[in-house]
Amino acid sequence: MFWVYIFYSATDDKYYVGQTDNLELRLKFHNELSEKSFTSKHRPWVLKRSIQVENRPQAVRTERRIKKRKSRKYLESLIKDENIVAALLAKL
């Protein structure tokens, strides 16, 4: 199983979207292990939404669809509304 995730930094009021096969390790990486990266500058990150998909190609497609929207409002709607997540996944 793979996950598409939305992390949030309250410190800088920013969202970050990515995909992984290990959510716990990925969150730890962004909060502790990475250096000199976008995410290292905006710590701490918290998980706001995770979307489970079957494989990496689906995870990559889902991540790209989300990022292509370039919309904070869309990210916030994904976090709050299961119907929007379902509609996103239906397009896979």
Side-chain angles (χ1 to χ4, degrees):
M1 286 295 147
F2 286 82
W3 302 90
V4 177
Y5 57 82
I6 301 172
F7 290 159
Y8 177 71
S9 167
T11 306
D12 295 314
D13 192 32
K14 293 195 178 293
Y15 288 99
Y16 183 83
V17 177
Q19 49 87 22
T20 185
D21 63 346
N22 186 329
L23 273 174
E24 285 183 31
L25 182 61
R26 198 68 183 146
L27 183 58
K28 182 175 183 174
F29 177 82
H30 287 302
N31 278 326
E32 300 172 20
L33 303 176
S34 67
E35 296 179 19
K36 297 182 181 180
S37 66
F38 172 82
T39 57
S40 67
K41 298 170 189 160
H42 304 287
R43 292 177 179 152
W45 293 95
V46 295
L47 178 64
K48 287 298 209 173
R49 165 64 80 176
S50 60
I51 303 167
Q52 187 175 12
V53 295
E54 292 184 23
N55 53 50
R56 184 166 301 277
Q58 286 182 343
V60 170
R61 281 195 306 271
T62 304
E63 177 188 8
R64 285 183 184 155
R65 285 179 193 260
I66 293 169
K67 288 181 173 180
K68 190 175 181 179
R69 297 289 295 262
K70 297 182 182 181
S71 169
R72 179 184 187 93
K73 186 176 178 181
Y74 181 66
L75 287 176
E76 291 171 347
S77 67
L78 280 171
I79 292 167
K80 294 176 184 173
D81 191 339
E82 286 294 329
N83 293 325
I84 295 173
V85 173
L88 174 67
L89 294 176
K91 295 178 182 179
L92 294 179

